[in-house]
């Protein structure tokens, strides 16, 4: 398979914003991909050669790529650098520059997908003294043989800035169609009945397969227009329905597998080698992070009690950093993952040490919240303190002493060869104690580990008391957990088995929201030369786009205003509108959705300018935040797809109405 075939798809996908159209392109891409290359193509499309949680970096700075471009094009250095600045993106600059070279160079060998992947793997894996020279040589070799379009995606991949805007869930949608029995057969059936399989029909059928029943009528009309007999239409409809249910079943099966083994490349390779049945072979494995279970929210303890059948386990909701600890080799090997599934072991060697020495068993996966505490007393400190530890390489030793942390464990997902995610809550909690017998609910700086404080309650007033004590102790609220038979660990899901209740519900109408920056406005006066406000969006996971909800200008201190522009320059969209963003407001600068800020507000109102839930509750209006302000917390533990969703905003609006 030629790399240029792949790049043509990327070019088309980049132009699209709708999830369905993107899925269509991916379905087609995977259809023409030879089985043995599916894994490679899925990885390249994600812009990586290994799953993110393995933390393999390309180790290539843009400077090196510019050097390679110089070697290949022989254009003046100034021209190369100017182009990079003008385009604001290494890929688009490379496309133009290599385009200029082509006129002079005669010989090149077409790039294959395999060659590109092999070279990229080498680029990422070379280490040592002359590694930069070797990386340069490998990049130049690829660029020498690439067309302008290939150069665009190659350079982006090498710089780890692929940014096609394809969410993993969209890739999964596309993989659910892959090899679905019946799709080809359906084509034969249509052709056999005198119906040409033209684009319009194929699209209509796909749309129906992917979405709700409403499009079935569309499909039917289309077929009728083509003059088909009634019974043929019926038979066709039945077939479509059958395929649709298979695709949907496939999707659920793949999502389940992905939640416990979030590596799309691996999933695709299993699908290619043995079909959907292979998903059953994916199990929880120490060393491979599971996607986190999350909780819904309700504004009162009594509401929570009612929802959970009158009996709940209330736990402190600690305000820190979620950590998933994978312990193997009887404690000799410990890996810590963040909620974003990044390997953060290096930043918390102290925590890894505590776990390794106190663990009693063969292997296990535990989950907890890592909270900063005052040394000696164990008193909890604000979450922000912990960010001083993140990303540190050099003075980490000092920071470990200065900012001690305690890992408060609240779940066990695997123990001594057995999966625990399917077991009920109380059994999993027992397993934590089994894994680490010397564990107490006291915040003991000596041991560095604790068990989350928990009480089982049947009375709402008692629950309210527990909540107030949690606040006194420095928590942000409580987490209610179902204790029923079905209280399993739902990896990758936000469900009603866990419900959070936070102090914000007391003082204000709402919980905080985690919103994504999608645009910025230049500041004036004291904020001249920096940004004065940001255009914020919620994530619409149904359509895979970001929809605006407020313009955010308050709550920023001087340090934020200094830090944010630096974070944002890399993310500015050259030339305006970002296709993944739905906005009716025009910021001065568009920003690639990436940075998540925690935002508080007084209430949710209807708005004629914001597109969050546009037309959902009211015609020609969306939902917006009134008096939004930044809490001071940059949620660097969350990516754009973890932001508060449009559905959640609609839910919060509903709660607000109720509480009024
Ligand atoms: P939120 O980020 O507001 O949706 O709240 C969910 C987060 O609360 C989880 O991802 C955990 O990091 C954190 N958390 C703190 N304490 C607990 C607890 N006892 N049980 C579960 N999650 C907790």
């Amino acid at each position: 398979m030629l790399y240029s075939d792949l790049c043509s798809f990327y070019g088309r996908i980049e132009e699209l914003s709708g999830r369905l159209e993107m899925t269509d392109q991916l379905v087609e891409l995977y259809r023409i991909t030879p089985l043995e290359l599916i894994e490679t193509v899925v990885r390249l499309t994600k812009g990586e050669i290994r799953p993110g949680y393995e933390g393999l970096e390309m180790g290539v700075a843009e400077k090196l790529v510019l050097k390679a471009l110089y070697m290949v094009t022989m254009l003046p250095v100034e021209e190369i650098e100017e182009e990079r600045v003008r385009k604001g993106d290494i890929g688009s600059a490379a496309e133009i520059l290599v385009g200029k070279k082509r006129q002079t160079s005669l010989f090149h060998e077409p790039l294959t997908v395999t060659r590109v992947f092999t070279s990229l793997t080498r680029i990422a894996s070379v280490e040592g003294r002359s590694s930069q020279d070797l990386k340069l040589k490998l990049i130049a070799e690829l660029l020498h043989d690439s067309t302008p379009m290939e150069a665009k995606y190659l350079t982006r991949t090498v710089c780890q800035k692929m940014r096609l805007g394809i969410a993993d869930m969209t890739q999964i949608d596309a993989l659910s169609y892959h090899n679905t029995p019946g799709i080809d057969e359906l084509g034969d059936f249509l052709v056999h009945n005198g119906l040409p399989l033209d684009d319009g029909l194929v699209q209509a059928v796909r749309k129906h397969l992917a979405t709700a029943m409403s499009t079935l009528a569309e499909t039917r009309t289309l077929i009728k227009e083509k003059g088909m007999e009634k019974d043929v239409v019926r038979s066709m409809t039945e077939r479509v329905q059958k395929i649709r249910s298979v695709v949907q079943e496939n999707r659920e099966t793949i999502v389940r597998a992905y939640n416990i083994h979030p590596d799309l490349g691996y999933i695709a390779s299993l699908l290619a080698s043995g079909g959907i049945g292979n998903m059953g072979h994916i199990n929880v494995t120490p060393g491979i992070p599971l996607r986190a279970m999350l909780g819904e929210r309700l504004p009162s303890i009594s509401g929570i009690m009612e929802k959970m059948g009158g009996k709940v386990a209330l736990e402190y909701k600690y305000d820190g950093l979620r950590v998933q600890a994978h312990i193997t080799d009887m404690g000799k090997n410990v890996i810590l993952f963040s909620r974003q599934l990044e390997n953060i072991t290096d930043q918390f060697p102290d925590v890894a040490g505590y776990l390794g020495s106190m663990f009693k068993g063969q292997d296990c996966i535990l989950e907890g919240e890592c909270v900063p505490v005052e040394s000696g007393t164990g008193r909890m400190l604000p979450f922000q303190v912990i960010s001083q530890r993140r990303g540190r390489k050099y003075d980490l030793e000092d920071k470990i002493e200065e900012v001690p942390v305690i890992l408060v464990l609240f779940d066990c997902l695997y123990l001594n060869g057995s999966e625990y995610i399917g077991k009920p809550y109380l059994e999993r909690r027992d397993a934590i104690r089994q894994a680490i017998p010397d564990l107490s609910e006291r915040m003991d700086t000596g041991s560095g580990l604790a068990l989350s404080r928990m009480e089982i309650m049947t009375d709402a007033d008692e629950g309210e008391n527990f909540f107030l004590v949690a606040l006194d102790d420095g928590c942000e609220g409580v987490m209610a957990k179902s204790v029923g038979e079905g209280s399993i660990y739902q990896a990758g899901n936000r469900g009603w088995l866990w419900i959070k209740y936070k102090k914000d519900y007391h003082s204000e109408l709402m919980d905080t929201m985690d919103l994504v920056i999608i645009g910025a406005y230049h500041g004036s006066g004291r904020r001249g030369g920096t940004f004065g406000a940001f255009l914020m969006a919620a994530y619409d996971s149904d359509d895979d786009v970001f929809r605006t909800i407020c313009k955010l200008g308050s709550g920023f201190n001087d340090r934020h205003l200094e830090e944010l522009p630096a974070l944002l320059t890399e993310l500015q969209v050259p030339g305006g509108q970002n296709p993944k963003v739905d906005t009716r407001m025009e910021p001065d600068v568009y920003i690639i959705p990436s940075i998540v800020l925690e935002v508080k507000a007084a209430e949710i109102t209807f708005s004629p300018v914001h597109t969050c839930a546009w037309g959902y509750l009211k015609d020609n209006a969306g939902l917006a935040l009134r008096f939004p302000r930044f809490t001071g917390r940059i949620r660097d533990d969350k990516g754009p797809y973890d932001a508060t969703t449009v559905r959640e905003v609609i839910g919060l609006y509903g709660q607000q109405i109720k509480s009024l």
Side-chain angles (χ1 to χ4, degrees), residues 315-318 322 339 369 410 481 500 502:
E315 283 187 27
Y316 274 17
K317 186 174 189 304
Y318 300 87
R322 185 162 186 163
R339 171 161 163 191
E369 191 85 353
F410 57 70
K481 298 187 176 176
K500 56 184 173 177
K502 301 212 293 206

Side-chain angles (χ1 to χ4, degrees), residues 289-401:
L290 293 87
R291 296 183 70 227
M293 172 170 179
L294 297 168
E296 285 283 352
R297 55 182 126 200
L298 278 177
S300 73
I301 295 273
S302 54
I304 293 174
M305 287 277 181
E306 201 178 307
K307 186 94 190 169
M308 289 188 161
K311 184 174 172 189
V312 304
L314 283 188
E315 283 187 27
Y316 274 17
K317 186 174 189 304
Y318 300 87
D319 193 10
L321 192 77
R322 185 162 186 163
V323 167
Q324 200 178 84
H326 291 238
I327 310 174
T328 50
D329 281 346
M330 303 175 74
K332 285 197 202 77
N333 188 13
V334 178
I335 309 175
L336 307 177
F337 292 105
S338 72
R339 171 161 163 191
Q340 288 271 82
L341 313 185
E342 293 158 326
N343 186 328
I344 49 167
T345 320
D346 285 350
Q347 273 150 55
F348 298 96
D350 43 346
V351 175
Y354 306 140
L355 285 165
S357 61
M358 289 172 70
F359 172 62
K360 298 275 176 291
Q362 188 59 42
D363 47 12
C364 81
I365 303 174
L366 298 171
E367 240 181 12
E369 191 85 353
C370 192
V371 280
V373 291
E374 197 174 68
S375 50
T377 66
R379 196 173 63 86
M380 284 186 254
L381 298 175
F383 164 85
Q384 279 85 342
V385 179
I386 214 171
S387 51
Q388 296 178 22
R389 290 268 290 261
R390 300 209 70 195
R392 292 252 168 199
K393 279 208 181 117
Y394 305 106
D395 53 349
L396 189 63
E397 288 280 312
D398 297 343
K399 282 287 162 202
I400 289 177
E401 271 191 28

Side-chain angles (χ1 to χ4, degrees), residues 196-223:
L197 204 58
D198 63 30
D199 274 0
L201 184 63
V202 170
Q203 283 219 355
V205 171
R206 269 224 187 104
K207 204 161 148 200
H208 163 63
L209 290 172
T211 57
M213 298 303 283
S214 58
T215 49
L216 182 58
E218 252 175 66
T219 319
R220 240 192 239 132
T221 318
L222 225 136
I223 294 164

